[in-house]
Amino acid sequence: MTSSSTSSARFPRFSTHGVPTRCWCGEGITTFGYSTVENRYRRFYRCEIARDRKTENHLFKWIDEALIKEIRMVDAKHERVALGITKFEERVMEKLKEKVYLGFARVAQEMKQKLKIATVAMVVVGAIVGIWTSLTV
Ligand SMILES: [Zn+2]
């Protein structure tokens, strides 16, 4: 007996990649042991319905092969998540740099404005002192 993925198009509701949770027919999966000489004691996934309806095409998967595929899928997902985190960190750092730069620019602008006001005030005070001094002497 071999694993068949051709019937998955007939029952597209359930994913049968890696470790399956349901058969294509919607029935839950059970584990069974094979009893032929070449695969004695080898475990496989199958639904209960398949046991009674041997002519129908139901999901069949060797557990050892399914576990290896599941591990590869988890590894691939882990790599995608790690890449997503790296990209997210880069975007956050870029936004942070932008905000810091804008903050510095705003503070510099405010300091320039205050310096202008202070300069004008000093010129006015100097002029007043100059005029007062020339009048009192
Ligand atoms: Zn089934």
Side-chain angles (χ1 to χ4, degrees), residues 22-29 46-50 56-59:
R22 296 210 167 269
C23 177
W24 304 314
C25 68
E27 184 71 15
I29 292 292
R46 194 99 163 123
C47 75
E48 293 279 349
I49 294 172
E56 291 182 10
N57 192 6
H58 290 263
L59 182 130

Side-chain angles (χ1 to χ4, degrees), residues 13-27:
R13 286 191 311 160
F14 303 105
S15 170
T16 56
H17 299 292
V19 176
T21 54
R22 296 210 167 269
C23 177
W24 304 314
C25 68
E27 184 71 15

Side-chain angles (χ1 to χ4, degrees), residues 21-136:
T21 54
R22 296 210 167 269
C23 177
W24 304 314
C25 68
E27 184 71 15
I29 292 292
T30 308
T31 60
F32 298 95
Y34 224 74
S35 56
T36 60
V37 174
E38 67 270 8
N39 286 308
R40 189 172 304 276
Y41 308 120
R42 193 174 179 195
R43 308 287 298 170
F44 61 95
Y45 294 113
R46 194 99 163 123
C47 75
E48 293 279 349
I49 294 172
R51 187 174 18 186
D52 303 328
R53 301 182 194 170
K54 299 210 184 292
T55 56
E56 291 182 10
N57 192 6
H58 290 263
L59 182 130
F60 175 91
K61 266 194 166 184
W62 294 116
I63 290 177
D64 56 315
E65 291 176 0
L67 288 175
I68 289 169
K69 282 184 183 166
E70 186 76 20
I71 290 168
R72 287 186 182 139
M73 286 167 47
V74 169
D75 279 349
K77 190 172 187 176
H78 175 260
E79 281 180 31
R80 285 195 306 273
V81 168
L83 186 65
I85 288 171
T86 302
K87 284 183 177 176
F88 178 74
E89 285 173 343
E90 286 170 2
R91 279 203 324 260
V92 166
M93 285 307 291
E94 204 55 43
K95 289 279 179 197
L96 203 59
K97 281 180 193 170
E98 236 176 76
K99 290 235 182 230
V100 167
Y101 175 78
L102 288 176
F104 279 141
R106 187 177 46 78
V107 167
Q109 189 65 31
E110 284 172 11
M111 286 177 75
K112 269 186 193 171
Q113 200 66 25
K114 285 178 182 169
L115 192 63
K116 249 187 221 174
I117 291 168
T119 305
V120 169
M122 283 171 31
V123 168
V124 168
V125 167
I128 290 171
V129 168
I131 292 168
W132 183 74
T133 310
S134 66
L135 291 177
T136 55

